[in-house]
Amino acid sequence: MSDLVDLVIEAHGGMDRWNQLHEVRSHLIVGGITWAVKQQAGLLDDTNVRIELHEQFASHYPFGMPGLHSSVTADRVAIERDSGEVVAERRDPRAAFAGHVLETPWDELHLAYFAGYAMWTYLTAPFSFASPGFRTEELEPWEEEGRSWRRLKVTFPAHIATHSAEQVFYVGPDRLIRRHDYNAEVVGGGPAAHYSADHREFDGIVVATTRRVHPLAADGSVAPEPLLVSIDLGDVRFQ
């Protein structure tokens, strides 16, 4: 594991504090063109998410309408009533994206899976990097608009659902994650750069509360338009 991982984990609150906690909840305001492209606009514009910290589980609530929530693990996605009744379910959800391109429309289970694993990836980083099966490597530093960022390549284990096996995290002088590059394979739109800002401390853990995702060219340059995804977090609560 790269020495940079230890520095980044400590800057975000430290492993001791992380291990005292088991979940995080947050209110989300979500935007960007991706949802309309996939014909799922509006379902997650104003919602909440619950993430389990030490195993991969995510749930958005309400999901589409009051009384419904999603339930996402690496090998199952479901939409359930708050009473526990299963409305729709899909095993091996990744396989349901086979053959998709950017213009391929999604159903609600596609949306639930993508949104669930994505928020789990974002809200457990960088602490998840210390988990069994994760591999990290520090890359050459990156200069962008007068800023110098250290870069960390993270290889995710096969049992974790995420955008792509290899992802790159950019770390500022304050050792906080400022940018995150990946190819969201299930979307079919190519590489993206996910910028994180407005970091705040909640219950001893530092979280970026403003997130913006833009298209990424092969040379590492970022296109300001279109805005692929925007996520604003509020009322973040760890326990």
Side-chain angles (χ1 to χ4, degrees), residues 62-204:
F63 188 87
M65 64 179 62
L68 296 181
H69 64 267
S70 64
S71 177
V72 178
T73 65
D75 57 5
R76 176 184 179 268
V77 58
I79 299 168
E80 301 169 348
R81 301 192 191 281
D82 292 346
S83 62
E85 177 188 355
V86 176
V87 175
E89 179 183 43
R90 179 175 290 148
R91 301 284 179 174
D92 191 15
R94 194 74 168 212
F97 295 88
H100 280 209
V101 296
L102 179 60
E103 295 78 13
T104 305
W106 283 351
D107 61 26
E108 292 185 0
L109 289 172
H110 289 120
L111 173 66
Y113 173 76
F114 171 74
Y117 85 61
M119 289 308 302
W120 187 91
T121 299
Y122 306 151
L123 291 177
T124 61
F127 303 96
S128 58
F129 306 164
S131 300
F134 282 79
R135 301 197 311 274
T136 60
E137 173 190 355
E138 186 167 1
L139 305 177
E140 291 297 315
W142 179 264
E143 300 289 331
E144 182 172 327
E145 297 182 350
R147 298 169 292 188
S148 181
W149 289 334
R150 295 173 73 178
R151 294 190 299 159
L152 187 69
K153 183 174 79 172
V154 178
T155 303
F156 286 67
H159 68 272
I160 295 294
T162 189
H163 293 306
S164 52
E166 291 187 355
Q167 303 178 31
V168 178
F169 294 79
Y170 296 65
V171 179
D174 54 7
R175 299 170 180 169
L176 298 178
I177 294 170
R178 297 293 175 174
R179 173 176 157 181
H180 172 196
D181 292 356
Y182 48 78
N183 180 3
E185 296 167 341
V186 301
V187 176
H194 174 141
Y195 286 91
S196 302
D198 299 323
H199 292 74
R200 293 176 53 196
E201 181 179 326
F202 301 93
D203 303 306

Side-chain angles (χ1 to χ4, degrees), residues 9-75:
I9 287 175
E10 189 61 31
H12 285 82
M15 210 62 176
D16 288 346
R17 178 56 180 152
W18 184 257
N19 286 333
Q20 294 170 357
L21 304 164
H22 64 90
E23 74 168 30
V24 60
R25 296 176 185 251
S26 178
H27 177 243
L28 306 177
I29 298 294
V30 177
I33 68 163
T34 298
W35 321 109
V37 170
K38 292 301 184 180
Q39 299 184 22
Q40 294 296 323
L43 267 73
L44 295 179
D45 286 359
D46 186 344
T47 188
N48 305 283
V49 69
R50 180 175 76 84
I51 300 293
E52 292 190 7
L53 305 183
H54 303 291
E55 60 181 296
Q56 191 167 30
F57 175 84
S59 176
H60 282 82
Y61 60 98
F63 188 87
M65 64 179 62
L68 296 181
H69 64 267
S70 64
S71 177
V72 178
T73 65
D75 57 5

